[in-house]
PDB file of all heavy atoms in Angstrom:
ATOM      1  N   TYR B 285     -14.529  -9.244  10.961  1.00 95.00           N
ATOM      2  CA  TYR B 285     -13.779  -8.483   9.968  1.00 95.00           C
ATOM      3  C   TYR B 285     -13.436  -7.097  10.502  1.00 95.00           C
ATOM      4  O   TYR B 285     -14.296  -6.415  11.080  1.00 95.00           O
ATOM      5  CB  TYR B 285     -14.606  -8.347   8.686  1.00 95.00           C
ATOM      6  CG  TYR B 285     -14.084  -7.307   7.721  1.00 95.00           C
ATOM      7  CD1 TYR B 285     -12.887  -7.514   7.033  1.00 95.00           C
ATOM      8  CD2 TYR B 285     -14.769  -6.108   7.496  1.00 95.00           C
ATOM      9  CE1 TYR B 285     -12.396  -6.569   6.153  1.00 95.00           C
ATOM     10  CE2 TYR B 285     -14.275  -5.159   6.613  1.00 95.00           C
ATOM     11  CZ  TYR B 285     -13.091  -5.396   5.954  1.00 95.00           C
ATOM     12  OH  TYR B 285     -12.598  -4.464   5.081  1.00 95.00           O
ATOM     13  N   PHE B 286     -12.179  -6.701  10.307  1.00 96.00           N
ATOM     14  CA  PHE B 286     -11.709  -5.357  10.678  1.00 96.00           C
ATOM     15  C   PHE B 286     -11.274  -4.604   9.431  1.00 96.00           C
ATOM     16  O   PHE B 286     -10.635  -5.165   8.539  1.00 96.00           O
ATOM     17  CB  PHE B 286     -10.488  -5.442  11.601  1.00 96.00           C
ATOM     18  CG  PHE B 286     -10.788  -5.908  12.993  1.00 96.00           C
ATOM     19  CD1 PHE B 286     -10.816  -7.255  13.293  1.00 96.00           C
ATOM     20  CD2 PHE B 286     -11.021  -4.997  14.016  1.00 96.00           C
ATOM     21  CE1 PHE B 286     -11.082  -7.697  14.579  1.00 96.00           C
ATOM     22  CE2 PHE B 286     -11.277  -5.419  15.306  1.00 96.00           C
ATOM     23  CZ  PHE B 286     -11.307  -6.782  15.587  1.00 96.00           C
ATOM     24  N   GLN B 287     -11.605  -3.329   9.421  1.00 94.00           N
ATOM     25  CA  GLN B 287     -11.021  -2.407   8.451  1.00 94.00           C
ATOM     26  C   GLN B 287     -10.220  -1.411   9.277  1.00 94.00           C
ATOM     27  O   GLN B 287     -10.785  -0.592   9.997  1.00 94.00           O
ATOM     28  CB  GLN B 287     -12.092  -1.701   7.640  1.00 94.00           C
ATOM     29  CG  GLN B 287     -11.532  -0.869   6.498  1.00 94.00           C
ATOM     30  CD  GLN B 287     -12.653  -0.244   5.664  1.00 94.00           C
ATOM     31  OE1 GLN B 287     -13.132   0.840   5.978  1.00 94.00           O
ATOM     32  NE2 GLN B 287     -13.073  -0.954   4.639  1.00 94.00           N
ATOM     33  N   ASN B 288      -8.904  -1.507   9.163  1.00 96.00           N
ATOM     34  CA  ASN B 288      -8.012  -0.793  10.098  1.00 96.00           C
ATOM     35  C   ASN B 288      -8.384  -1.192  11.525  1.00 96.00           C
ATOM     36  O   ASN B 288      -8.462  -2.377  11.811  1.00 96.00           O
ATOM     37  CB  ASN B 288      -8.061   0.696   9.851  1.00 96.00           C
ATOM     38  CG  ASN B 288      -7.525   1.081   8.475  1.00 96.00           C
ATOM     39  OD1 ASN B 288      -6.414   0.680   8.108  1.00 96.00           O
ATOM     40  ND2 ASN B 288      -8.301   1.820   7.707  1.00 96.00           N
ATOM     41  N   GLU B 289      -8.643  -0.234  12.397  1.00 96.00           N
ATOM     42  CA  GLU B 289      -8.955  -0.605  13.784  1.00 96.00           C
ATOM     43  C   GLU B 289     -10.443  -0.813  14.018  1.00 96.00           C
ATOM     44  O   GLU B 289     -10.856  -1.237  15.101  1.00 96.00           O
ATOM     45  CB  GLU B 289      -8.415   0.463  14.745  1.00 96.00           C
ATOM     46  CG  GLU B 289      -9.129   1.808  14.688  1.00 96.00           C
ATOM     47  CD  GLU B 289      -8.672   2.687  13.542  1.00 96.00           C
ATOM     48  OE1 GLU B 289      -7.809   2.228  12.747  1.00 96.00           O
ATOM     49  OE2 GLU B 289      -9.175   3.816  13.432  1.00 96.00           O
ATOM     50  N   ALA B 290     -11.246  -0.530  13.007  1.00 96.00           N
ATOM     51  CA  ALA B 290     -12.698  -0.621  13.165  1.00 96.00           C
ATOM     52  C   ALA B 290     -13.192  -2.042  12.885  1.00 96.00           C
ATOM     53  O   ALA B 290     -12.933  -2.601  11.822  1.00 96.00           O
ATOM     54  CB  ALA B 290     -13.378   0.362  12.228  1.00 96.00           C
ATOM     55  N   GLN B 291     -13.926  -2.576  13.832  1.00 96.00           N
ATOM     56  CA  GLN B 291     -14.515  -3.905  13.654  1.00 96.00           C
ATOM     57  C   GLN B 291     -15.863  -3.729  12.961  1.00 96.00           C
ATOM     58  O   GLN B 291     -16.871  -3.444  13.606  1.00 96.00           O
ATOM     59  CB  GLN B 291     -14.677  -4.593  15.011  1.00 96.00           C
ATOM     60  CG  GLN B 291     -15.067  -6.057  14.909  1.00 96.00           C
ATOM     61  CD  GLN B 291     -15.105  -6.758  16.264  1.00 96.00           C
ATOM     62  OE1 GLN B 291     -15.179  -6.109  17.312  1.00 96.00           O
ATOM     63  NE2 GLN B 291     -15.056  -8.076  16.273  1.00 96.00           N
ATOM     64  N   LEU B 292     -15.880  -3.900  11.647  1.00 94.00           N
ATOM     65  CA  LEU B 292     -17.081  -3.608  10.880  1.00 94.00           C
ATOM     66  C   LEU B 292     -18.095  -4.744  10.889  1.00 94.00           C
ATOM     67  O   LEU B 292     -19.287  -4.518  10.659  1.00 94.00           O
ATOM     68  CB  LEU B 292     -16.718  -3.273   9.430  1.00 94.00           C
ATOM     69  CG  LEU B 292     -15.883  -2.011   9.205  1.00 94.00           C
ATOM     70  CD1 LEU B 292     -15.761  -1.708   7.723  1.00 94.00           C
ATOM     71  CD2 LEU B 292     -16.458  -0.819   9.946  1.00 94.00           C
ATOM     72  N   ASP B 293     -17.633  -5.949  11.102  1.00 94.00           N
ATOM     73  CA  ASP B 293     -18.544  -7.090  11.024  1.00 94.00           C
ATOM     74  C   ASP B 293     -18.120  -8.105  12.067  1.00 94.00           C
ATOM     75  O   ASP B 293     -17.005  -8.619  12.004  1.00 94.00           O
ATOM     76  CB  ASP B 293     -18.511  -7.697   9.620  1.00 94.00           C
ATOM     77  CG  ASP B 293     -19.545  -8.794   9.405  1.00 94.00           C
ATOM     78  OD1 ASP B 293     -20.173  -9.260  10.372  1.00 94.00           O
ATOM     79  OD2 ASP B 293     -19.712  -9.209   8.242  1.00 94.00           O
ATOM     80  N   LYS B 294     -18.977  -8.362  13.027  1.00 94.00           N
ATOM     81  CA  LYS B 294     -18.694  -9.418  14.007  1.00 94.00           C
ATOM     82  C   LYS B 294     -19.837 -10.417  14.038  1.00 94.00           C
ATOM     83  O   LYS B 294     -20.083 -11.078  15.048  1.00 94.00           O
ATOM     84  CB  LYS B 294     -18.410  -8.859  15.388  1.00 94.00           C
ATOM     85  CG  LYS B 294     -19.401  -7.849  15.921  1.00 94.00           C
ATOM     86  CD  LYS B 294     -18.921  -7.322  17.271  1.00 94.00           C
ATOM     87  CE  LYS B 294     -19.892  -6.313  17.830  1.00 94.00           C
ATOM     88  NZ  LYS B 294     -19.452  -5.782  19.147  1.00 94.00           N
ATOM     89  N   SER B 295     -20.522 -10.526  12.906  1.00 93.00           N
ATOM     90  CA  SER B 295     -21.709 -11.373  12.834  1.00 93.00           C
ATOM     91  C   SER B 295     -21.421 -12.850  13.013  1.00 93.00           C
ATOM     92  O   SER B 295     -22.314 -13.622  13.331  1.00 93.00           O
ATOM     93  CB  SER B 295     -22.411 -11.151  11.492  1.00 93.00           C
ATOM     94  OG  SER B 295     -21.563 -11.521  10.415  1.00 93.00           O
ATOM     95  N   GLY B 296     -20.174 -13.276  12.804  1.00 95.00           N
ATOM     96  CA  GLY B 296     -19.851 -14.692  12.894  1.00 95.00           C
ATOM     97  C   GLY B 296     -19.375 -15.149  14.257  1.00 95.00           C
ATOM     98  O   GLY B 296     -19.209 -16.350  14.485  1.00 95.00           O
ATOM     99  N   LEU B 297     -19.175 -14.236  15.183  1.00 97.00           N
ATOM    100  CA  LEU B 297     -18.717 -14.636  16.516  1.00 97.00           C
ATOM    101  C   LEU B 297     -19.811 -15.471  17.167  1.00 97.00           C
ATOM    102  O   LEU B 297     -20.952 -15.019  17.288  1.00 97.00           O
ATOM    103  CB  LEU B 297     -18.398 -13.410  17.359  1.00 97.00           C
ATOM    104  CG  LEU B 297     -17.226 -12.556  16.858  1.00 97.00           C
ATOM    105  CD1 LEU B 297     -17.058 -11.305  17.712  1.00 97.00           C
ATOM    106  CD2 LEU B 297     -15.931 -13.358  16.837  1.00 97.00           C
ATOM    107  N   PRO B 298     -19.491 -16.709  17.603  1.00 95.00           N
ATOM    108  CA  PRO B 298     -20.545 -17.632  18.035  1.00 95.00           C
ATOM    109  C   PRO B 298     -21.186 -17.293  19.374  1.00 95.00           C
ATOM    110  O   PRO B 298     -22.309 -17.722  19.626  1.00 95.00           O
ATOM    111  CB  PRO B 298     -19.811 -18.987  18.099  1.00 95.00           C
ATOM    112  CG  PRO B 298     -18.374 -18.666  18.188  1.00 95.00           C
ATOM    113  CD  PRO B 298     -18.165 -17.358  17.554  1.00 95.00           C
ATOM    114  N   SER B 299     -20.498 -16.573  20.219  1.00 95.00           N
ATOM    115  CA  SER B 299     -21.085 -16.215  21.508  1.00 95.00           C
ATOM    116  C   SER B 299     -20.346 -15.016  22.066  1.00 95.00           C
ATOM    117  O   SER B 299     -19.322 -14.588  21.520  1.00 95.00           O
ATOM    118  CB  SER B 299     -20.996 -17.391  22.476  1.00 95.00           C
ATOM    119  OG  SER B 299     -19.678 -17.530  22.974  1.00 95.00           O
ATOM    120  N   ASP B 300     -20.850 -14.500  23.177  1.00 96.00           N
ATOM    121  CA  ASP B 300     -20.177 -13.352  23.799  1.00 96.00           C
ATOM    122  C   ASP B 300     -18.904 -13.766  24.526  1.00 96.00           C
ATOM    123  O   ASP B 300     -18.221 -12.929  25.117  1.00 96.00           O
ATOM    124  CB  ASP B 300     -21.124 -12.603  24.744  1.00 96.00           C
ATOM    125  CG  ASP B 300     -21.667 -13.479  25.848  1.00 96.00           C
ATOM    126  OD1 ASP B 300     -21.215 -14.639  25.968  1.00 96.00           O
ATOM    127  OD2 ASP B 300     -22.552 -13.029  26.590  1.00 96.00           O
ATOM    128  N   ARG B 301     -18.554 -15.041  24.467  1.00 98.00           N
ATOM    129  CA  ARG B 301     -17.251 -15.452  25.017  1.00 98.00           C
ATOM    130  C   ARG B 301     -16.117 -15.126  24.053  1.00 98.00           C
ATOM    131  O   ARG B 301     -14.950 -15.165  24.435  1.00 98.00           O
ATOM    132  CB  ARG B 301     -17.259 -16.957  25.307  1.00 98.00           C
ATOM    133  CG  ARG B 301     -18.248 -17.395  26.363  1.00 98.00           C
ATOM    134  CD  ARG B 301     -18.086 -18.872  26.706  1.00 98.00           C
ATOM    135  NE  ARG B 301     -18.379 -19.749  25.560  1.00 98.00           N
ATOM    136  CZ  ARG B 301     -17.455 -20.365  24.839  1.00 98.00           C
ATOM    137  NH1 ARG B 301     -16.175 -20.211  25.124  1.00 98.00           N
ATOM    138  NH2 ARG B 301     -17.808 -21.134  23.837  1.00 98.00           N
ATOM    139  N   PHE B 302     -16.472 -14.844  22.822  1.00 98.00           N
ATOM    140  CA  PHE B 302     -15.473 -14.544  21.782  1.00 98.00           C
ATOM    141  C   PHE B 302     -15.372 -13.034  21.604  1.00 98.00           C
ATOM    142  O   PHE B 302     -16.383 -12.346  21.444  1.00 98.00           O
ATOM    143  CB  PHE B 302     -15.876 -15.181  20.444  1.00 98.00           C
ATOM    144  CG  PHE B 302     -15.698 -16.661  20.379  1.00 98.00           C
ATOM    145  CD1 PHE B 302     -16.526 -17.508  21.093  1.00 98.00           C
ATOM    146  CD2 PHE B 302     -14.698 -17.217  19.597  1.00 98.00           C
ATOM    147  CE1 PHE B 302     -16.358 -18.886  21.038  1.00 98.00           C
ATOM    148  CE2 PHE B 302     -14.525 -18.585  19.518  1.00 98.00           C
ATOM    149  CZ  PHE B 302     -15.364 -19.423  20.244  1.00 98.00           C
ATOM    150  N   PHE B 303     -14.129 -12.553  21.604  1.00 97.00           N
ATOM    151  CA  PHE B 303     -13.904 -11.119  21.504  1.00 97.00           C
ATOM    152  C   PHE B 303     -12.650 -10.890  20.668  1.00 97.00           C
ATOM    153  O   PHE B 303     -11.646 -11.570  20.844  1.00 97.00           O
ATOM    154  CB  PHE B 303     -13.724 -10.539  22.916  1.00 97.00           C
ATOM    155  CG  PHE B 303     -13.290  -9.108  22.951  1.00 97.00           C
ATOM    156  CD1 PHE B 303     -14.190  -8.090  22.671  1.00 97.00           C
ATOM    157  CD2 PHE B 303     -11.977  -8.764  23.262  1.00 97.00           C
ATOM    158  CE1 PHE B 303     -13.796  -6.761  22.700  1.00 97.00           C
ATOM    159  CE2 PHE B 303     -11.579  -7.445  23.291  1.00 97.00           C
ATOM    160  CZ  PHE B 303     -12.481  -6.441  23.014  1.00 97.00           C
ATOM    161  N   ALA B 304     -12.702  -9.969  19.723  1.00 98.00           N
ATOM    162  CA  ALA B 304     -11.537  -9.665  18.902  1.00 98.00           C
ATOM    163  C   ALA B 304     -11.248  -8.180  18.942  1.00 98.00           C
ATOM    164  O   ALA B 304     -12.164  -7.368  19.073  1.00 98.00           O
ATOM    165  CB  ALA B 304     -11.754 -10.115  17.461  1.00 98.00           C
ATOM    166  N   GLU B 305      -9.975  -7.846  18.832  1.00 98.00           N
ATOM    167  CA  GLU B 305      -9.592  -6.437  18.812  1.00 98.00           C
ATOM    168  C   GLU B 305      -8.410  -6.226  17.890  1.00 98.00           C
ATOM    169  O   GLU B 305      -7.635  -7.143  17.623  1.00 98.00           O
ATOM    170  CB  GLU B 305      -9.254  -5.945  20.230  1.00 98.00           C
ATOM    171  CG  GLU B 305      -8.130  -6.681  20.894  1.00 98.00           C
ATOM    172  CD  GLU B 305      -7.886  -6.205  22.321  1.00 98.00           C
ATOM    173  OE1 GLU B 305      -8.657  -5.373  22.833  1.00 98.00           O
ATOM    174  OE2 GLU B 305      -6.911  -6.672  22.929  1.00 98.00           O
ATOM    175  N   ARG B 306      -8.288  -5.002  17.429  1.00 98.00           N
ATOM    176  CA  ARG B 306      -7.179  -4.594  16.555  1.00 98.00           C
ATOM    177  C   ARG B 306      -6.931  -3.107  16.851  1.00 98.00           C
ATOM    178  O   ARG B 306      -7.176  -2.247  16.025  1.00 98.00           O
ATOM    179  CB  ARG B 306      -7.560  -4.808  15.084  1.00 98.00           C
ATOM    180  CG  ARG B 306      -6.381  -4.730  14.117  1.00 98.00           C
ATOM    181  CD  ARG B 306      -6.846  -4.790  12.668  1.00 98.00           C
ATOM    182  NE  ARG B 306      -5.713  -4.835  11.747  1.00 98.00           N
ATOM    183  CZ  ARG B 306      -5.820  -4.555  10.448  1.00 98.00           C
ATOM    184  NH1 ARG B 306      -6.982  -4.217   9.915  1.00 98.00           N
ATOM    185  NH2 ARG B 306      -4.739  -4.617   9.676  1.00 98.00           N
ATOM    186  N   PRO B 307      -6.440  -2.805  18.037  1.00 96.00           N
ATOM    187  CA  PRO B 307      -6.466  -1.424  18.561  1.00 96.00           C
ATOM    188  C   PRO B 307      -5.688  -0.401  17.741  1.00 96.00           C
ATOM    189  O   PRO B 307      -6.081   0.764  17.713  1.00 96.00           O
ATOM    190  CB  PRO B 307      -5.883  -1.578  19.971  1.00 96.00           C
ATOM    191  CG  PRO B 307      -5.164  -2.882  19.963  1.00 96.00           C
ATOM    192  CD  PRO B 307      -5.864  -3.761  18.996  1.00 96.00           C
ATOM    193  N   GLU B 308      -4.616  -0.803  17.085  1.00 94.00           N
ATOM    194  CA  GLU B 308      -3.826   0.169  16.325  1.00 94.00           C
ATOM    195  C   GLU B 308      -3.881  -0.106  14.829  1.00 94.00           C
ATOM    196  O   GLU B 308      -3.060   0.402  14.071  1.00 94.00           O
ATOM    197  CB  GLU B 308      -2.384   0.175  16.844  1.00 94.00           C
ATOM    198  CG  GLU B 308      -2.292   0.642  18.293  1.00 94.00           C
ATOM    199  CD  GLU B 308      -0.875   0.607  18.830  1.00 94.00           C
ATOM    200  OE1 GLU B 308       0.036   0.213  18.071  1.00 94.00           O
ATOM    201  OE2 GLU B 308      -0.689   0.955  20.011  1.00 94.00           O
ATOM    202  N   GLY B 309      -4.814  -0.932  14.437  1.00 94.00           N
ATOM    203  CA  GLY B 309      -4.986  -1.190  13.005  1.00 94.00           C
ATOM    204  C   GLY B 309      -3.944  -2.101  12.398  1.00 94.00           C
ATOM    205  O   GLY B 309      -3.839  -2.182  11.168  1.00 94.00           O
ATOM    206  N   SER B 310      -3.177  -2.797  13.254  1.00 96.00           N
ATOM    207  CA  SER B 310      -2.225  -3.769  12.686  1.00 96.00           C
ATOM    208  C   SER B 310      -2.443  -5.117  13.357  1.00 96.00           C
ATOM    209  O   SER B 310      -3.334  -5.861  12.936  1.00 96.00           O
ATOM    210  CB  SER B 310      -0.784  -3.284  12.821  1.00 96.00           C
ATOM    211  OG  SER B 310      -0.469  -2.997  14.172  1.00 96.00           O
TER     212      SER B 310
END
Side-chain angles (χ1 to χ4, degrees):
Chain B
Y285 166 70
F286 288 87
Q287 187 177 87
N288 296 308
E289 69 279 2
Q291 189 175 19
L292 296 188
D293 186 349
K294 49 184 180 180
S295 62
L297 295 176
S299 76
D300 59 7
R301 296 186 296 104
F302 286 71
F303 172 75
E305 60 183 5
R306 194 187 185 197
E308 296 178 0
S310 56

